[in-house]
Amino acid sequence: MPDTVLSSPRPRVLSGMRPTGKLHLGNYMGALANWVKLQDAYEGYFFIADWHALTTDYADPSRVKLNTLDVALDWLAAGLDPERSTIFIQSHVPQHAELHLLFSMITPLGWLERVPTYKEQQENLTGKDLSTYGFLGYPLLQAADILLYQPQFVPVGQDQVAHVELTREVARRFNSMYKTGVFPEPEALLTPSPKLTGTDGRKMSKSYGNTIGLTEAPDSVRGKIHGMSTNGQRVRQTDAGDPDLCPVGYLHKIFSAADVAAATQRGCRAATLSCEHCKVEAARQVDAVLAPIHARRMELEGHIEETWEMLRGQSAKAAARAEATMVSVRELLDLSHDLGSIKRHFTASAEDRQRDHDLSAQAAWWELETAERSRNLRDYWQKKLVPFEIPLAQESNRVFTSLERELEEPLLTPKKKRVFVAAPQQAEGDGWTFAVPPRSYEVWTLLCWQNQDHWLRDFVVPQKYFAQAFAKAKKTLKKDEAVPLTVRKDGARFLLVIHENEPVEISDLESNYDPLR
Ligand code: TRP
């Protein structure tokens, strides 16, 4: 284990935001406030998705870094805590890009084209040309962001659920394609979102110019609340109002102490409280929550360099965690950086090879999950046992293969089962011919190697499939003469024929390594 992060008992959550600059109350209530709470019970990974910003703002990247820092300062001001959570910058962790690239190999175009945000955003952001490769890949980069850290939950708003769904599909496809469990499927953790609108009663959004900043100066917040829309209600102050329809009413529900909220609601419905007073009270209550956040922001702005260094340090920590995932992923795609076992193909001494062929030397494998163990074994056959160069007989289209001589000795499993392993002496179309020395084995492993497409079909055959027929065959052959057998593809089935015996179906034994345990 590279660090304690991996063995942390807290379930992991991960989420990110694009760097759009300072946050407003909508961002706070829709995400950040929830993240701050989650930090107690969860191990949090929170990052600023600056590469995602470039998918739409590539033409003018000049504000990305400033916006990134602004978001980070607001996060810290609001209470995200680098002692408890990992707070980092996406582009400082290049593993995100590497995993995105590898995912792009296995992701069908249609999956990305039908993500709802793709068409919607292309239609809505008309000022930008979004017919780019990067923009299409937006949700796939997000899948990489998430899966790198193997979180159980992704706290997001409703608008991101389709992206988490795609992430789950990518995880499933990767796991099944490479027979691994490296990417558990994360779940969206929907952020509870109380109703909050901008100062004009529409959705709070930068593009409407109706926001209240999370770390805006208290005076300015007060002024904005005083000028807020009441949604057309109580034009005459003697009219009763409905606080459930009023943007100021929403502020009370979110920010006011319960008794204050209840009193203002009563006063609004009974027309005994003026909007003026209601707003003064709302401003006071909002201020009580925002003033300390604003003060922390001011304090942090006095230490910009330390804050940036902190983010770099946290990003390095995130990268170490991400690298642990990438090591497994590279291994699965045969991209690991060490020369590893292929070196043996060129340099192994006879003793090395002897040791290699003793499966009990691979002690660590037997602790692994079934799927991973099978993968290792297949790897092992492929790298160590299947000849790389296969002599072609000139005079016919038959292909002759043979294993290295050592393999005439059986392999031993950890439980000392004797295993005969063989590559075919001949492979022809859908038939493979083997010669088995007439000794006693508990398992046969028949490597049906098709050298046209480098496809390996491996059958691990337990004794009960061959014991009788093998004994019978031995009797009719000369002493010490190898027993000929074939594996034949018959439609979708695979049949094993042992010298003049009835065929036995072995389809189910393909890649089933249980008998080797
Ligand atoms: N797409 C998200 C948004 O617009 C931001 C994001 C990028 C994200 N990567 C992520 C969110 C990973 C959660 C997890 O809000």
Side-chain angles (χ1 to χ4, degrees):
M1 296 271 153
D3 58 24
T4 52
V5 170
L6 287 174
S7 52
S8 159
R10 286 181 299 166
R12 194 155 40 240
V13 295
L14 171 137
S15 198
M17 266 185 213
R18 275 169 303 154
T20 46
K22 290 185 186 173
L23 304 186
H24 55 66
L25 291 188
N27 307 131
Y28 180 59
M29 294 315 301
L32 181 55
N34 191 41
W35 299 358
V36 170
K37 276 193 230 124
L38 288 170
Q39 292 179 110
D40 294 328
Y42 295 89
E43 179 196 358
Y45 279 80
F46 302 109
F47 72 97
I48 300 164
D50 53 351
W51 276 330
H52 275 107
L54 289 178
T55 63
T56 52
D57 299 346
Y58 56 86
D60 177 15
S62 63
R63 303 180 72 98
V64 173
K65 193 183 284 181
L66 175 61
N67 287 348
T68 297
L69 182 60
D70 259 333
V71 168
L73 289 168
D74 276 1
W75 283 5
L76 297 168
L80 276 194
D81 175 7
E83 297 284 316
R84 284 180 292 163
S85 300
T86 308
I87 301 165
F88 64 99
I89 301 171
Q90 183 187 37
S91 69
H92 291 212
V93 185
Q95 286 84 354
H96 290 239
E98 184 182 2
L99 188 58
H100 176 216
L101 176 90
L102 295 177
F103 281 166
S104 79
M105 307 297 173
I106 67 163
T107 306
L109 269 182
W111 288 15
L112 297 172
E113 286 162 345
R114 64 164 200 258
V115 171
T117 46
Y118 178 58
K119 286 253 154 56
E120 277 164 27
Q121 293 250 53
Q122 274 195 334
E123 282 159 17
N124 293 343
L125 299 178
T126 44
K128 293 169 181 168
D129 178 3
L130 296 184
S131 49
T132 56
Y133 177 53
F135 186 67
L136 178 66
Y138 183 112
L140 196 61
L141 177 57
Q142 184 162 351
D145 295 339
I146 296 171
L147 293 174
L148 259 184
Y149 303 90
Q150 297 145 323
Q152 279 90 328
F153 300 105
V154 186
V156 285
Q158 185 62 45
D159 63 318
Q160 295 295 313
V161 169
H163 292 170
V164 178
E165 201 37 58
L166 177 83
T167 301
R168 293 165 58 87
E169 283 180 277
V170 171
R172 226 173 292 144
R173 186 175 173 91
F174 187 98
N175 288 344
S176 85
M177 189 166 284
Y178 303 110
K179 298 192 172 60
T180 172
V182 72
F183 294 126
E185 290 176 43
E187 276 175 52
L189 190 65
L190 269 186
T191 309
S193 54
K195 189 147 165 81
L196 171 81
T197 58
T199 49
D200 58 359
R202 292 187 290 171
K203 176 179 153 65
M204 189 179 285
S205 159
K206 253 193 170 168
S207 52
Y208 294 150
N210 64 358
T211 60
I212 296 176
L214 173 65
T215 51
E216 203 168 321
D219 283 352
S220 167
V221 174
R222 203 171 307 129
K224 282 186 177 174
I225 293 177
H226 284 177
M228 241 168 134
S229 147
T230 57
N231 222 350
Q233 301 190 85
R234 303 193 63 195
V235 182
R236 284 171 302 179
Q237 289 289 293
T238 48
D239 295 342
D242 182 351
D244 292 341
L245 301 175
C246 178
V248 184
Y250 303 146
L251 285 184
H252 275 293
K253 271 192 216 137
I254 295 168
F255 291 97
S256 294
D259 56 334
V260 175
T264 53
Q265 291 188 357
R266 253 181 282 122
C268 178
R269 290 185 205 281
T272 54
L273 175 69
S274 72
C275 288
E276 172 76 25
H277 280 107
C278 179
K279 287 176 176 174
V280 169
E281 192 54 43
R284 201 193 334 261
Q285 299 283 330
V286 170
D287 187 60
V289 177
L290 297 193
I293 298 179
H294 175 257
R296 266 199 299 274
R297 163 100 197 191
M298 293 286 87
E299 158 83 21
L300 286 161
E301 283 187 10
H303 301 93
I304 289 307
E305 285 181 34
E306 288 97 314
T307 305
W308 192 253
E309 280 315 304
M310 184 278 286
L311 289 170
R312 293 183 60 170
Q314 293 263 306
S315 300
K317 198 174 125 203
R321 178 61 187 78
E323 180 61 14
T325 304
M326 287 315 296
V327 165
S328 313
V329 168
R330 290 190 208 110
E331 187 83 33
L332 287 163
L333 295 174
D334 210 9
L335 297 169
S336 67
H337 293 176
D338 55 345
L339 186 52
S341 56
I342 63 164
K343 182 171 120 200
R344 294 185 170 271
H345 183 71
F346 298 93
T347 63
S349 68
E351 302 95 90
D352 276 349
R353 287 182 201 205
Q354 191 65 58
R355 195 160 356 97
D356 283 351
H357 295 159
D358 180 354
L359 288 188
S360 59
Q362 307 288 347
W365 288 358
W366 309 96
E367 308 297 327
L368 297 173
E369 295 291 328
T370 318
E372 220 172 329
R373 184 167 51 243
S374 314
R375 194 176 54 69
N376 277 332
L377 279 161
R378 299 197 87 218
D379 246 36
Y380 181 89
W381 306 142
Q382 229 146 356
K383 287 183 181 143
K384 303 218 168 82
L385 304 185
V386 177
F388 278 52
E389 281 136 35
I390 296 155
L392 294 176
Q394 298 295 335
E395 71 279 10
S396 72
N397 56 6
R398 287 179 174 187
V399 178
F400 294 88
T401 68
S402 67
L403 284 180
E404 297 156 79
R405 198 174 302 118
E406 291 92 330
L407 276 182
E408 284 170 25
E409 288 306 312
L411 301 180
L412 282 184
T413 72
K415 291 191 181 152
K416 305 294 173 215
K417 281 189 195 168
R418 291 161 56 85
V419 184
F420 171 73
V421 183
Q425 294 201 313
Q426 288 183 20
E428 201 181 13
D430 283 337
W432 296 269
T433 307
F434 300 84
V436 190
R439 286 179 227 121
S440 61
Y441 307 100
E442 284 154 295
V443 184
W444 288 349
T445 297
L446 304 174
L447 306 176
C448 297
W449 171 251
Q450 198 137 52
N451 106 306
Q452 292 94 330
D453 56 5
H454 295 247
W455 181 255
L456 177 67
R457 293 188 172 283
D458 41 355
F459 298 88
V460 183
V461 187
Q463 205 165 30
K464 66 177 182 212
Y465 285 79
F466 61 78
Q468 272 190 359
F470 192 60
K472 215 168 109 195
K474 275 197 283 191
K475 277 188 205 144
T476 64
L477 294 164
K478 282 197 224 99
K479 187 171 178 297
D480 281 341
E481 191 179 351
V483 178
L485 56 97
T486 58
V487 173
R488 210 173 64 226
K489 191 161 171 3
D490 174 47
R493 304 187 308 161
F494 288 91
L495 301 175
L496 170 65
V497 185
I498 302 166
H499 185 58
E500 296 177 356
N501 281 278
E502 289 298 310
V504 186
E505 190 180 349
I506 56 167
S507 316
D508 285 342
L509 302 174
E510 186 175 357
S511 296
N512 177 358
Y513 286 96
D514 288 341
L516 288 187
R517 273 205 285 194

